[in-house]
Amino acid sequence: MQIGVVGLGRMGANISRRLMRAGHGSVVWDANPASVQGLGGEGAVAASGLADVVAKLTETPRTVWVMLPHGKITEDTIAELGNLLSPGDIIIDGGNTYYKDDVRRGQELAAKGIRYLDVGTSGGVWGLERGYCLMIGGDADAVRHLDPIFSTLAPGLGTIERTSGREGRDPRAEQGYIHAGPVGAGHFVKMIHNGIEYGMMQAMAEGFDILKGRASPKLPEAERFDLNVGDIAEVWRRGSVVTSWLLDLTASALATDEGLDGFSGHVDDSGEGRWTIEAAIEEAVPADVLAASLFVRFRSRQSHTFAEKVLSAMRFGFGGHVEAPKKG
């Protein structure tokens, strides 16, 4: 199949590459000409702007995947595409958009006959090789039409043990992608995923902080342990119940820099954690851990602990997120 990809950052460029590796055609554009030229050299069709992307899409219905930061840049891009595309064409927002914005956009585009899919995309900078976990909202016919795209981007069964009792259920979930529901459902599921991620990361970071603090001279001498946190992270990866990709990333960071001196501990939040708490408030659902993990990120910008360095290391590991510079 052929697809347009707008936004060639950490994930957009690799989405295009993964599709091209499987034989799909990719028409690409980004505000950075070097990014466009680079992918053009790898086999993508380079475009000079949104209108050129649409013009160079020769298969119908035309599909454009937008992979940009949430906010004005995505709003403006999708609005412009809505004026360039034709009824039956498809716009995908694969960024971390607020699901209520999806619902509004979907309604606006439906009035023009254009189909809109919100695709929560998880996989970070590793997605090119590992694949992307996809949570899709929108028109079921559009999702079915694009199944070759989604199945290519998804990880597939891989080496993960299959879950017993899933006979007769939607097989796409085992492949790493689902049609979650109508417009907005995909980004809602991804939003909650990221909220959970905050809590899991915080628990792990605090645990390593406690381990590291056991050598404190404030403790009775007989109860002090000079623990090798890098080795602990590594042994926990081997059969413990807290084994996870986040633990893998932590072990990797500690293996090369056990004090995490390369990280300040300044931890940003990208929006989804806040939106998750807002949803919990709307539904009157207690979310103690998730709320606390969000507030810790706020505090991390004022003072830093080893736990926050662990958080920074994990964020850099899975998403390439670089710490914000210190304010003068």
Side-chain angles (χ1 to χ4, degrees):
M1 297 184 74
Q2 184 190 45
I3 189 169
V5 179
V6 175
L8 305 176
R10 287 190 297 261
M11 292 178 68
N14 281 345
I15 283 173
S16 183
R17 290 186 179 102
R18 188 170 173 90
L19 290 172
M20 289 191 295
R21 285 183 180 181
H24 297 288
S26 187
V27 180
V28 300
W29 183 74
D30 188 275
N32 182 356
S35 298
V36 180
Q37 292 168 6
L39 272 173
E42 297 178 38
V45 176
S48 59
L50 294 179
D52 197 31
V53 170
V54 173
K56 288 178 174 173
L57 288 170
T58 57
E59 294 183 8
T60 55
R62 294 171 293 189
T63 301
V64 181
W65 185 305
V66 178
M67 201 67 184
L68 295 168
H70 73 84
K72 188 177 187 303
I73 187 171
T74 295
E75 284 285 348
D76 292 348
T77 299
I78 290 175
E80 186 173 347
L81 286 170
N83 292 326
L84 293 168
L85 293 168
S86 303
D89 290 341
I90 303 167
I91 296 174
I92 296 171
D93 179 3
N96 286 324
T97 287
Y98 187 39
Y99 74 97
K100 292 186 179 182
D101 291 332
D102 290 315
V103 174
R104 169 181 50 79
R105 285 186 203 148
Q107 293 170 346
E108 293 169 351
L109 291 167
K112 299 180 179 183
I114 297 171
R115 294 175 288 178
Y116 176 81
L117 301 181
D118 55 291
V119 180
T121 306
S122 182
V125 296
W126 299 88
L128 176 60
E129 302 299 334
R130 292 171 58 109
Y132 299 91
C133 176
L134 304 174
M135 297 141 269
I136 308 163
D139 177 72
D141 287 336
V143 175
R144 278 192 291 270
H145 172 73
L146 291 172
D147 191 76
I149 295 292
F150 297 135
S151 62
T152 295
L153 291 174
L157 281 173
T159 59
I160 298 174
E161 185 177 349
R162 302 185 76 167
T163 302
S164 62
R166 281 199 56 85
E167 295 78 15
R169 291 177 174 267
D170 188 339
R172 293 175 293 185
E174 285 189 313
Q175 300 295 324
Y177 67 110
I178 59 168
H179 181 208
V183 170
H187 276 148
F188 184 82
V189 173
K190 176 58 163 46
M191 177 184 81
I192 302 305
H193 164 281
N194 284 21
I196 292 170
E197 178 186 295
Y198 278 35
M200 291 174 66
M201 292 172 68
Q202 186 62 36
M204 195 171 296
E206 290 177 6
F208 279 100
D209 203 3
I210 297 168
L211 290 169
K212 187 174 179 62
R214 200 62 210 174
S216 171
K218 297 178 181 179
L219 296 171
E221 186 173 358
E223 298 176 11
R224 297 177 205 161
F225 309 132
D226 187 10
L227 300 169
N228 187 314
V229 291
D231 285 354
I232 292 168
E234 186 62 32
V235 77
W236 282 354
R237 294 180 61 220
R238 313 288 172 172
S240 86
V241 296
V242 295
T243 297
S244 66
W245 187 24
L246 293 174
L247 182 58
D248 293 345
L249 297 169
T250 302
S252 178
L254 291 171
T256 56
D257 178 11
E258 187 158 336
L260 299 180
D261 296 325
F263 297 91
S264 71
H266 180 120
V267 186
D268 280 328
D269 69 288
S270 52
E272 300 90 336
R274 301 185 191 210
W275 300 336
T276 297
I277 302 309
E278 289 176 7
I281 293 169
E282 289 177 349
E283 300 167 24
V285 172
D288 310 56
V289 171
L290 305 189
S293 67
L294 174 64
F295 290 126
V296 168
R297 294 198 176 197
F298 298 161
R299 186 186 58 74
S300 77
R301 297 158 208 174
Q302 300 170 357
S303 61
H304 305 307
T305 65
F306 185 74
E308 283 145 13
K309 291 184 177 185
V310 175
L311 286 175
S312 285
M314 281 189 275
R315 291 184 82 243
F316 180 76
F318 70 72
H321 301 289
V322 179
E323 292 178 335
K326 294 181 180 179
K327 296 182 179 179

